[in-house]
Amino acid sequence: MQNYKMYIGGKWVDAVSGRTFATVNPSTGEELGRVPLAGKEDVDKAAKAANEALPVWSKMTQSDRAKAILRFAAAVKEHSKELIDLEVNEHGTPVMLARGFAAAAVDQLEYIASISRGIMGQVLPQSMPNTVGYLQRVPIGVCAVITPWNVPLMMMLSMVGPAMVTGNTCILKPASVNSVLGVKFTEILEKADIPKGVMNLVTGPGGSVGDALATHPGIDMIRFTGATDTGQVILKAASKTVKKCIMELGGNNPIIVCEDADVEKAAKLQAGRHYGNSAQNCSTPGRYYVHENVYDKFVEVFVEEVKKIKVGLPWEESTTMGPMANLQQLEKVEYYIKTAREEGARIVCGGARPTTPPLDKGYFLMPTVVADCKHEMTIVKEEIFGPAAPILKFSSEEEAIKLANDSSYGLCAGVWTRDGSKALRITGELRVDSVFVNMPRMMTPEFPWGGNVKESGVGKSDSVCGMEEFTDLKFICISYS
Ligand code: NAD
């Protein structure tokens, strides 16, 4: 088993304590590699390196920073096979999907580089004689990027890329279970000839290393994606030094299927997308509200589609759903399925781990459909974050909107209807950051994600809006009278 190092100030280093921990292949339960277990002293070293690199990197022309990111995109493209292998082996992403993520990663970096050259400032209309005022976008400073395990490569890249291109220096802390992928990501970034100290990597568990980042006085911003309760802890820790915090947090996303919808298309497309990445996506629907007159049809087609999913080892080309990323998450989803059964729901398919080799060794769970759910059930109320889809009945538009909005989350929602006015009415009433009408969620670098609704986050990610979050608007006013 290989031992890996962290990257601080342009050097590959062990933790000051010398301690290490292992990451695991979720398909086999076997250890994959050992990485340093960082502590506060390592975070101090990374913060020092990032602060030392900041004056040069932040003053570099936007054109030069954009070119550096394009070099990084080219390096990711050249080494994508290594990244794909790790997505498959350390996260359990089916290889077909991992290839798509790697291609999307390159596209995202190219987008970030190109758009960055047009967003860095604006001149304001004159309101006083003989003065000119302008707003200049300046980097926030040193940014700690704390990523979740669910889409490891895309998460690292979609936060580190915009942070760097806008002139910030970074300290990346990947989810501990994806630490080897974090090392590979950083090795590739090093090949892009980015100046030393601009990107630093520390590996270790959130409770210690993450907290050291959130409280460190030499860090100006936290860019975090993860669970809402972790986000709350970080917000509190970061408040002591008043850091800017951009947080993409949990969701429990409702889908409303109206009586007049193309039910067959809705069921097919939603089921086809629901279980991708083992349904470990923040945008995965958490509850389907289906009109009572089309409910049976929706469940029937949804289940037919789910039965086509090929659960298998993620490195096999035919696999469309791999294991869950870790045992803890698998056990959490099993708990939700168990409570659904106890609370009176009907498990229409799936509901258990596969028992035949080789799938009996890893963290696999069969794709599960839970019908006849009630809004009050635990599986409906909480974020599942795994391959189980609860389906409920509603009888009026008002009821569907009320139930959809009855959540502490507000990340995204979906509406299926053939009636344009109804679509606009419902989308207007839903208290969420994004709504997708007659389609499952679609991702492109141009589309923003997240926002400020309820406990699902603070600030935007992706798109121009997400890049702007990594900057401060400095106002400069000059008299020339
Ligand atoms: P998590 O909150 O457990 O961990 C995320 C990261 O935070 C990890 O790197 C972890 O080590 C670190 N961390 C944990 N405790 C910390 C602390 N006290 N201080 C600082 N850092 C700490 O989340 P997860 O289980 O990795 O990911 C799943 C969650 O992420 C789900 O709730 C999902 O909805 C959410 N998510 C949201 C989005 C979005 O865009 N809104 C996207 C992906 C995932």
Side-chain angles (χ1 to χ4, degrees):
M1 193 177 35
Q2 200 170 335
N3 284 310
Y4 297 91
K5 290 182 189 281
M6 302 187 291
Y7 190 67
I8 297 180
K11 292 200 179 86
W12 290 98
V13 295
D14 291 318
V16 172
S17 67
R19 293 174 66 198
T20 61
F21 67 100
T23 72
V24 168
N25 182 330
S27 303
T28 60
E30 286 163 11
E31 289 193 356
L32 190 91
R34 291 199 79 80
V35 289
L37 199 157
K40 196 175 166 315
E41 301 94 325
D42 304 288
V43 170
D44 283 343
K45 281 168 63 186
K48 184 166 178 282
N51 273 291
E52 281 169 4
L54 189 62
V56 174
W57 181 250
S58 62
K59 296 283 181 323
M60 197 180 254
T61 65
Q62 193 53 45
S63 150
D64 283 344
R65 275 202 301 260
K67 286 191 182 101
I69 298 298
L70 286 174
R71 288 197 300 277
F72 182 30
V76 170
K77 197 170 186 175
E78 192 186 335
H79 296 273
S80 57
K81 167 92 176 57
E82 294 152 56
L83 292 168
I84 291 165
D85 286 350
L86 273 172
E87 275 265 340
V88 170
N89 291 316
E90 201 180 38
H91 179 67
T93 312
V95 63
M96 216 170 46
L97 187 60
R99 280 192 204 114
F101 285 152
V106 175
D107 186 47
Q108 178 139 16
L109 284 174
E110 288 172 350
Y111 167 79
I112 288 163
S114 61
I115 203 81
S116 71
R117 298 183 67 170
I119 65 163
M120 296 305 278
Q122 54 183 287
V123 177
L124 301 174
Q126 198 178 37
S127 55
M128 281 167 65
N130 301 326
T131 58
V132 61
Y134 63 95
L135 289 168
Q136 189 182 2
R137 285 204 176 272
V138 293
I140 304 284
V142 175
C143 179
V145 173
I146 304 176
T147 60
W149 49 260
N150 68 318
V151 197
L153 172 63
M154 287 305 286
M155 284 293 158
M156 292 180 215
L157 184 137
S158 65
M159 298 193 236
V160 167
M164 285 197 324
V165 81
T166 45
N168 302 277
T169 53
C170 296
I171 305 170
L172 168 66
K173 194 210 84 65
S176 43
V177 292
N178 299 133
S179 295
V180 177
L181 186 57
V183 172
K184 183 56 66 185
F185 173 84
T186 310
E187 278 174 17
I188 291 172
L189 194 130
E190 190 188 26
K191 293 185 202 305
D193 211 12
I194 308 271
K196 290 182 185 11
V198 170
M199 221 302 280
N200 305 277
L201 171 79
V202 290
T203 48
S208 51
V209 193
D211 184 65
L213 291 166
T215 49
H216 201 286
I219 293 175
D220 304 284
M221 173 175 178
I222 305 287
R223 175 64 183 88
F224 169 77
T225 297
T228 294
D229 50 2
T230 314
Q232 287 162 342
V233 172
I234 293 177
L235 280 169
K236 193 167 170 210
S239 70
K240 289 186 195 130
T241 43
V242 195
K243 298 187 199 316
K244 177 165 184 177
C245 293
I246 297 297
M247 311 246 129
E248 296 299 326
L249 306 176
N252 184 4
N253 313 307
I255 302 290
I256 299 176
V257 182
C258 300
E259 189 179 6
D260 59 30
D262 181 339
V263 177
E264 189 146 342
K265 184 173 171 193
K268 272 192 175 156
L269 291 188
Q270 291 290 172
R273 281 288 290 282
H274 190 101
Y275 301 87
N277 197 28
S278 301
Q280 301 164 121
N281 298 315
C282 54
S283 57
T284 299
R287 37 206 178 113
Y288 290 90
Y289 296 100
V290 183
H291 191 278
E292 57 193 0
N293 293 345
V294 293
Y295 181 85
D296 290 342
K297 175 82 184 159
F298 182 87
V299 174
E300 183 194 321
V301 179
F302 196 97
V303 171
E304 269 169 29
E305 207 56 29
V306 171
K307 287 187 175 156
K308 294 179 192 161
I309 294 171
K310 165 89 172 51
V311 179
L313 295 170
W315 46 87
E316 286 173 358
E317 291 288 338
S318 57
T319 295
T320 52
M321 193 180 120
M324 298 197 59
N326 55 72
L327 183 59
Q328 195 189 4
Q329 193 61 24
L330 167 62
E331 287 173 349
K332 193 169 158 194
V333 180
E334 285 179 320
Y335 161 78
Y336 286 129
I337 295 170
K338 180 173 157 283
T339 60
R341 265 200 193 99
E342 287 164 3
E343 292 170 16
R346 186 163 56 96
I347 311 299
V348 193
C349 68
R353 301 182 193 194
T355 47
T356 42
L359 304 190
D360 55 339
K361 292 204 178 59
Y363 310 144
F364 291 89
L365 183 64
M366 294 308 285
T368 302
V369 179
V370 191
D372 303 347
C373 290
K374 296 277 179 286
H375 182 70
E376 297 68 33
M377 289 179 177
T378 315
I379 196 168
V380 177
K381 285 284 183 195
E382 295 185 16
E383 183 186 38
I384 309 168
F385 220 64
I391 313 184
L392 303 85
K393 270 183 200 159
F394 73 87
S395 49
S396 72
E397 185 179 317
E398 295 68 32
E399 185 196 6
I401 293 168
K402 188 165 167 260
L403 295 176
N405 280 338
D406 182 27
S407 168
S408 57
Y409 297 112
L411 191 59
C412 70
V415 182
W416 289 83
T417 171
R418 287 190 172 99
D419 178 339
S421 312
K422 192 187 278 185
L424 290 177
R425 236 178 9 246
I426 298 178
T427 55
E429 290 298 325
L430 290 172
R431 280 205 62 208
V432 290
D433 292 310
S434 314
V435 190
F436 298 89
V437 179
N438 293 332
M439 61 188 287
R441 181 199 175 188
M442 174 173 174
M443 274 174 73
T444 83
E446 289 83 357
F447 289 178
W449 184 242
N452 300 289
V453 179
K454 301 191 205 168
E455 294 176 19
S456 281
V458 184
K460 288 278 181 205
S461 62
D462 303 335
S463 79
V464 177
C465 318
M467 288 179 67
E468 288 175 349
E469 299 283 14
F470 289 97
T471 65
D472 187 32
L473 267 178
K474 186 173 191 175
F475 175 56
I476 295 147
C477 192
I478 302 170
S479 162
Y480 54 87
S481 59

